[in-house]
Amino acid sequence: MICSNTLNSIIESSPWRNYLHDIYNQVDKPCLYYEHLDVIHPDDKQIVDAYNKDRQSDCQLNRHILAVPFQGNPFTAKVVFLTLNPGYLERINKDAAQMLESSSINCTRFSLRIHEYWSACYDHRASSIFPSKKENRDIYTAFQILGNWYWYDMFAPLRRDTGLANDAFAEKVAIMQLIPYHSTRCEKVTLNLPTQQYTKQIIHYMLEQPNCPKFVVMRSEKQWAELLGINFQDPKYRDKFILRKRDKNDKPLRRQFITEQAFAEKNDYATIANAIKTDL
């Protein structure tokens, strides 16, 4: 059982609690793409500025899309997927976003509802990695378009093998990003972003809980280990972290397919599927 007092104190310390409020103080309406506003979290801005200054444009962290430190609710998920950072495709994250804003009957409708979803993620009220399809099919579809249907497609084999419907499956998993900002490509570097300390705090807190979720390290295994100060091979953690299979150069597989062949140990995929299907 999670101690609610401790959990509340962790959530209250989140650097993301006022993130949207600070953005709203600078604009007339919520946007899916803030073309004329830098929405990097103020705590991270100095480090992101220095990182972007020395990078080609396709490796720079995008300043105009809402940050995604986590998607869904890691405190209630059965399995939490740890990855590097959200991707960026201009035709999707900028062009399609601006098209959705300008073409809807109420130009703020999609923006507002999708902001409401991210707000719920930021303060851990979200119950799913996607907005509910049952509640509003249009918002669900717009959200998937803006994500290029990436996680929907990546989870398809696992969703099928659990036998769960889409909404039910999406409530059992969460995603945490090492770097919360979008980019076309992202170098595997240690940025030491101040907001990452909250991500670290969440994971260490969950590791101490009797109903700890399974953590699946999808990308940047070395950087996640450095952030958490954990040796994933330590027997203390081996049953809590699931690692990717390594290639012939002894590096974890880069493609984020979630299949039986993608993980280091023979039964890892079954462990993930069973964790999702089993009630706490």
Side-chain angles (χ1 to χ4, degrees):
M1 180 68 67
I2 294 176
C3 175
S4 60
N5 289 335
T6 304
L7 177 57
N8 287 340
S9 66
I10 290 174
I11 293 173
E12 288 172 3
S13 72
S14 171
W16 300 104
R17 289 187 70 202
N18 296 317
Y19 173 64
L20 283 178
H21 182 268
D22 293 341
I23 292 173
Y24 294 160
N25 283 338
Q26 303 176 67
V27 296
D28 296 328
K29 63 181 181 180
C31 297
L32 299 175
Y33 186 88
Y34 287 95
E35 188 160 16
H36 304 294
L37 183 66
D38 185 336
V39 296
I40 299 294
H41 192 287
D43 292 354
D44 294 338
K45 191 174 185 306
Q46 184 175 356
I47 293 176
V48 171
D49 284 348
Y51 174 85
N52 281 352
K53 182 178 179 180
D54 297 327
R55 299 297 185 285
Q56 298 292 328
S57 59
D58 62 342
C59 285
Q60 291 178 358
L61 301 176
N62 192 285
R63 301 175 177 281
H64 308 295
I65 307 172
L66 293 181
V68 184
F70 19 78
Q71 189 169 334
N73 192 336
F75 292 112
T76 60
K78 305 291 187 65
V79 180
V80 178
F81 293 84
L82 307 181
T83 187
L84 176 54
N85 78 310
Y88 175 77
L89 291 172
E90 184 167 311
R91 68 178 183 272
I92 300 294
N93 302 105
K94 181 180 179 181
D95 297 344
Q98 292 177 330
M99 186 259 318
L100 283 170
E101 290 178 334
S102 63
S103 64
S104 60
I105 296 173
N106 178 352
C107 67
T108 64
R109 175 171 174 250
F110 286 121
S111 301
L112 182 60
R113 293 297 298 274
I114 289 175
H115 272 237
E116 288 173 352
Y117 170 77
W118 286 124
S119 176
C121 287
Y122 295 146
D123 61 18
H124 307 296
R125 290 178 292 108
S127 60
S128 170
I129 57 169
F130 307 132
S132 173
K133 186 176 183 179
K134 291 180 181 178
E135 290 182 9
N136 193 310
R137 189 182 187 91
D138 289 344
I139 299 302
Y140 170 84
T141 302
F143 184 90
Q144 297 291 13
I145 289 171
L146 293 173
N148 203 26
W149 295 88
Y150 182 83
W151 286 111
Y152 180 90
D153 290 339
M154 287 297 104
F155 283 130
L158 183 60
R159 186 171 59 247
R160 178 197 64 222
D161 291 340
T162 62
L164 295 174
N166 183 52
D167 274 2
F169 177 91
E171 293 175 356
K172 302 293 185 71
V173 299
I175 301 162
M176 300 184 78
Q177 303 280 0
L178 182 68
I179 298 169
Y181 308 112
H182 297 69
S183 67
T184 302
R185 295 192 301 119
C186 190
E187 299 174 6
K188 293 183 179 181
V189 297
T190 301
L191 285 182
N192 294 318
L193 297 171
T195 59
Q196 288 176 327
Q197 293 306 306
Y198 181 66
T199 301
K200 176 181 178 179
Q201 184 182 20
I202 290 175
I203 294 174
H204 275 280
Y205 175 77
M206 294 306 300
L207 288 172
E208 298 301 321
Q209 303 307 312
N211 55 355
C212 175
K214 296 294 182 184
F215 290 98
V216 182
V217 185
M218 298 294 288
R219 275 188 180 165
S220 303
E221 179 182 317
K222 177 182 176 182
Q223 287 73 25
W224 275 109
E226 289 175 351
L227 173 66
L228 299 175
I230 283 176
N231 178 358
F232 293 135
Q233 303 302 329
D234 186 328
K236 178 181 178 181
Y237 297 112
R238 185 61 193 96
D239 67 332
K240 297 181 178 179
F241 289 91
I242 293 175
L243 306 178
R244 305 280 287 170
K245 184 179 289 184
R246 308 184 85 81
D247 63 19
K248 62 182 180 181
N249 297 316
D250 197 34
K251 294 183 178 180
L253 297 178
R254 178 172 173 77
R255 300 291 299 275
Q256 296 191 108
F257 293 125
I258 304 171
T259 63
E260 289 187 69
Q261 296 75 34
F263 298 100
E265 301 295 333
K266 180 179 179 180
N267 295 324
D268 282 347
Y269 181 80
T271 298
I272 295 169
N274 289 334
I276 293 171
K277 291 187 290 184
T278 303
D279 289 333
L280 292 176

